[in-house]
């Protein structure tokens, strides 16, 4: 490839293809992440046909803008009951909504316990500067060498809004 864009955990794949992570390390990280995800508090994700600004103005306590995939294609995450309530409210208003098959609220502060543990795992991994340019799903811009080699960048993917629309 001459350029890459990873979506969500796909940024780890982009980093691997770009030479930032060794394949063996990336596979071990995937295994560790899967184990840790299963231990996180249950939650959910809801795809919503609203803009990020419209969603932000309607989010209540416990709900977070998890992903911005397009101008009116976003995903909200939060505790299961909060997501159920938002789903019902928006559906009654005729807004396009669809529950996602996730059982965790990825890309929200609910994933902070994951970050605490995963930080220790990432500390033992060597990160190299990329040999292939890639766009970060966190910023929607080309990743810098400093970002690519900073474990905190990859940890932020778990708790912050994915900016796919900007990246595209």
């Amino acid at each position: 490839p001459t350029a890459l864009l990873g979506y969500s955990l796909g940024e780890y794949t982009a980093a691997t293809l770009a030479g930032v992570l060794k394949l063996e390390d990336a596979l071990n990280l995937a295994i560790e992440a899967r184990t840790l995800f299963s231990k996180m508090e249950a939650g959910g994700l809801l795809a919503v046909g609203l803009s990020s600004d419209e969603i932000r103005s309607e989010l209540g306590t416990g709900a977070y803008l998890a992903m911005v995939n397009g101008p009116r294609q976003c995903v909200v995450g939060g505790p299961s009951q909060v997501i159920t309530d938002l789903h019902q409210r928006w559906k009654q208003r005729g807004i396009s909504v669809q529950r996602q098959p996730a059982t965790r609220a990825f890309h929200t502060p609910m994933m902070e316990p994951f970050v605490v543990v995963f930080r220790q795992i990432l500390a033992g991994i060597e990160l190299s500067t990329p040999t292939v340019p890639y766009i970060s799903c966190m910023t929607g811009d080309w990743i810098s060498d400093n970002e690519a080699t900073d474990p905190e960048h990859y940890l932020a993917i778990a708790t912050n809004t994915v900016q796919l629309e900007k990246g595209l």
Side-chain angles (χ1 to χ4, degrees):
T2 57
L4 302 159
L5 167 63
Y7 178 74
S8 185
L9 291 176
E11 185 151 335
Y12 286 82
T13 303
T16 302
L17 292 171
V20 174
L21 286 165
K22 294 176 187 159
L23 179 59
E24 182 178 315
D25 289 336
L27 293 172
N28 286 330
L29 287 173
I31 291 166
E32 293 289 342
R34 176 74 174 150
T35 301
L36 289 173
F37 289 153
S38 69
K39 297 176 181 177
M40 294 300 104
E41 179 183 352
L45 296 173
L46 179 67
V48 186
L50 292 172
S51 72
S52 57
D53 289 339
E54 290 170 315
I55 287 174
R56 282 188 188 102
S57 70
E58 295 199 28
L59 288 180
T61 303
Y64 307 93
L65 180 61
M67 302 168 208
V68 179
N69 296 332
R72 296 182 65 80
Q73 297 174 346
C74 296
V75 177
V76 172
S80 298
Q81 188 58 53
V82 171
I83 295 302
T84 297
D85 293 346
L86 285 171
H87 181 250
Q88 291 172 351
R89 180 171 44 141
W90 283 330
K91 190 173 182 177
Q92 287 173 351
R93 289 178 40 203
I95 295 168
S96 175
V97 290
Q98 182 177 4
R99 291 289 300 244
Q100 300 300 289
T103 58
R104 303 295 183 265
F106 299 109
H107 312 296
T108 74
M110 287 181 66
M111 296 302 295
E112 190 58 40
F114 166 85
V115 170
V116 170
V117 177
F118 209 61
R119 180 176 284 118
Q120 297 167 351
I121 296 166
L122 268 176
I125 304 291
E126 180 183 346
L127 302 173
S128 302
T129 57
T131 57
V132 176
Y134 65 96
I135 296 172
S136 169
C137 69
M138 296 306 305
T139 64
D141 203 353
W142 296 104
I143 196 152
S144 69
D145 289 350
N146 287 339
E147 288 170 320
T149 56
D150 182 0
E152 292 300 316
H153 171 79
Y154 300 96
L155 294 169
I157 293 170
T159 57
N160 293 319
T161 304
V162 170
Q163 300 290 337
L164 181 63
E165 178 185 20
K166 288 180 183 178
L168 294 174

